[in-house]
Amino acid sequence: MANNMHVAEKKLFPRSIQEMSMDGDEPPPEYLVKGNTFGSKDSPTLIQIPIIDVSLLSTENELQKLRSALSSAGCFQAIGHGMLTSYLDKVREVAKQFFALPVEEKQKYARAVNESEGYGNDRVVSEKQVLDWSYRLTLRVFPKEKRRLSLWPENPSDFSETLEEFSTKVKSMMDYLLRSMARSLNLEEGSFLDQFGKQSLLQARINYYPPCSRPDLVLGVKPHTDRSGITALLQDKEVEGLQILIDDKWINVPTIPNALVVNLGDQMQIMSNGIFKSPMHRVVTNTEKLRMSIAMFNEPEPENEVGPVEELINETCPRLYRNVTNYGDINYRCYQEGKIALETVKVADNYEQK
Ligand SMILES: O=C(O)CCC(=O)C(=O)O
Ligand SMILES: [Fe+2]
């Protein structure tokens, strides 16, 4: 598998991003984002990413902030989650050590061409695709039985243990957030969480963005919404790059060393009947510094039927989305065809299907 990938990658990517980055090459055409203006910070805006203290979500005040953040930006910076900065630094460090290994060592865990798990470049799904200026290591962490341990790095030696522990902590924060989100809408605590099921999927994706000589021409990650239910992101401690689209403006997400950026994915927009937003986001690169982030995606068991919570459907707020199973597949197919997945699961006639 790993060897196949190596050959295929060589054909597709004659020079690796790493080599191009080190030599200061102009990015080749397959990385160029057309008709886009980004990387410019010339439009100052007052919009800021909300900060939510998870330890205060038992109070009405913080709960209201949560509701307001998720119905406008669809994301927030979570603090007060109980993970110390020193602990988060350790997680960042282990991930960084993996990416610092020689290419041959990382290739032992290479993603096979038609798979999503493993180490490699942007997954190519269509000829027209503009490639992301990044490397990733993607691993499923939960359910435990579905791990592909042959893709879990043995080097650094504490990689697996660290990822396991971090994932457990993040998952428990996510569960609490999902219960809080339900409470913020006066719903039963389990209204969202129960739809995820006991065997919900947790996937880790470590993103690594080498510097680029022309950050005005490429993107670390193209604009997208996450297919997940909920995503928690550990940002690089120093280097910014993530931007969220709010009111048609790209807003930088500042780095806060002890915060996890929480953003909702499409499946929570569906479950909340459109009240909560799954924000469009992207990543810009820079000429000087590499950036790393660790994204944790939590989504319902693929076999579960997921749909708008009944109590959120009424005369004034008709059902916006149909019930779906395996949204991951729907999302992937749409991505290949250049369609917006959420649009394809909208109820055609709100009144008819209520
Ligand atoms: O690197 C980041 O800040 C965000 C990455 C992201 O959006 C993703 O992996 O889905
Ligand atoms: Fe994302």
Side-chain angles (χ1 to χ4, degrees):
M1 269 317 195
N3 270 341
N4 283 347
M5 179 59 199
H6 204 45
V7 175
E9 261 210 352
K10 277 238 139 61
K11 225 170 103 194
L12 266 170
F13 308 103
R15 267 169 77 65
S16 73
I17 300 175
Q18 194 74 60
E19 286 167 324
M20 294 190 283
S21 172
M22 289 205 299
D23 296 347
D25 287 13
E26 282 273 318
E30 54 275 26
Y31 290 91
L32 302 186
V33 180
K34 286 139 208 111
N36 217 336
T37 49
F38 48 84
S40 68
K41 294 198 172 120
D42 54 3
S43 52
T45 159
L46 292 176
I47 303 175
Q48 284 189 349
I49 307 297
I51 298 176
I52 303 279
D53 188 333
V54 181
S55 71
L56 296 180
L57 281 172
S58 49
T59 67
E60 200 50 42
N61 189 32
E62 207 67 7
L63 219 48
Q64 283 314 314
K65 271 169 70 182
L66 178 73
R67 177 185 172 144
S68 143
L70 294 177
S71 20
S72 50
C75 79
F76 59 89
Q77 303 247 30
I79 56 168
H81 42 57
M83 287 175 254
L84 299 176
T85 311
S86 53
Y87 174 70
L88 297 175
D89 283 349
K90 191 184 109 192
V91 177
R92 289 182 178 105
E93 187 52 36
V94 167
K96 225 167 218 168
Q97 283 168 3
F98 170 75
F99 279 95
L101 294 172
V103 180
E104 306 76 55
E105 177 69 17
K106 288 183 286 196
Q107 285 292 349
K108 288 187 190 163
Y109 310 101
R111 179 179 60 71
V113 178
N114 289 320
E115 308 252 348
S116 58
E117 275 189 87
Y119 167 76
N121 293 71
D122 197 5
R123 183 175 177 187
V124 179
V125 302
S126 86
E127 279 179 11
K128 289 179 281 174
Q129 182 177 335
V130 175
L131 299 176
D132 291 340
W133 190 266
S134 70
Y135 293 97
R136 295 168 194 144
L137 173 63
T138 305
L139 298 169
R140 176 175 293 183
V141 183
F142 295 130
K144 207 168 174 168
E145 314 77 74
K146 299 221 169 125
R147 286 183 195 171
R148 292 182 54 190
L149 292 174
S150 59
L151 296 174
W152 286 50
E154 283 176 358
N155 193 355
S157 58
D158 52 351
F159 182 95
S160 299
E161 185 192 325
T162 307
L163 180 60
E164 159 114 46
E165 189 189 31
F166 180 57
S167 303
T168 306
K169 288 179 195 283
V170 168
K171 175 75 171 70
S172 105
M173 178 191 78
M174 285 171 162
D175 288 357
Y176 182 63
L177 287 176
L178 289 169
R179 284 199 292 268
S180 306
M181 287 175 209
R183 283 196 290 119
S184 81
L185 296 172
N186 299 317
L187 300 170
E188 290 284 325
E189 272 207 338
S191 301
F192 298 127
L193 186 58
D194 292 351
Q195 294 204 43
F196 281 69
K198 290 214 162 19
Q199 296 282 94
S200 69
L201 310 181
L202 190 78
Q203 180 151 294
R205 185 194 288 159
I206 310 179
N207 297 296
Y208 181 89
Y209 309 97
C212 180
S213 65
R214 295 298 305 269
D216 54 331
L217 298 180
V218 308
L219 282 170
V221 183
K222 292 176 282 296
H224 67 284
T225 60
D226 289 348
R227 76 173 210 199
S228 62
I230 175 170
T231 304
L233 181 88
L234 179 61
Q235 286 214 83
D236 194 288
K237 202 173 173 185
E238 280 142 24
V239 186
E240 287 181 8
L242 175 63
Q243 300 184 329
I244 308 248
L245 192 65
I246 305 174
D247 294 343
D248 272 339
K249 291 193 186 68
W250 289 106
I251 308 298
N252 284 324
V253 183
T255 55
I256 303 180
N258 61 334
L260 289 167
V261 179
V262 174
N263 69 269
L264 294 187
D266 289 358
Q267 299 190 64
M268 269 302 287
Q269 182 161 330
I270 295 173
M271 287 183 233
S272 67
N273 202 29
I275 295 176
F276 291 156
K277 305 290 184 276
S278 161
M280 183 72 80
H281 53 286
R282 68 180 188 183
V283 174
V284 294
T285 61
N286 72 81
T287 52
E288 309 270 303
K289 292 187 175 158
L290 69 86
R291 175 173 183 273
M292 220 197 53
S293 70
I294 306 178
M296 308 294 290
F297 305 97
N298 189 198
E299 62 181 304
E301 286 175 40
E303 301 75 28
N304 275 12
E305 195 174 65
V306 165
V309 172
E310 282 300 323
E311 287 79 2
L312 299 177
I313 304 173
N314 53 46
E315 284 285 305
T316 39
C317 304
R319 173 188 273 273
L320 276 186
Y321 300 102
R322 61 181 170 82
N323 290 355
V324 292
T325 45
N326 208 341
Y327 183 78
D329 271 5
I330 300 177
N331 187 67
Y332 182 62
R333 251 181 289 120
C334 288
Y335 181 47
Q336 280 175 310
E337 292 165 14
K339 290 187 193 150
I340 299 171
L342 260 184
E343 292 294 318
T344 67
V345 299
K346 267 194 169 151
V347 167
D349 180 336
N350 289 336
Y351 293 93
E352 214 169 81
Q353 303 208 18
K354 211 164 25 165

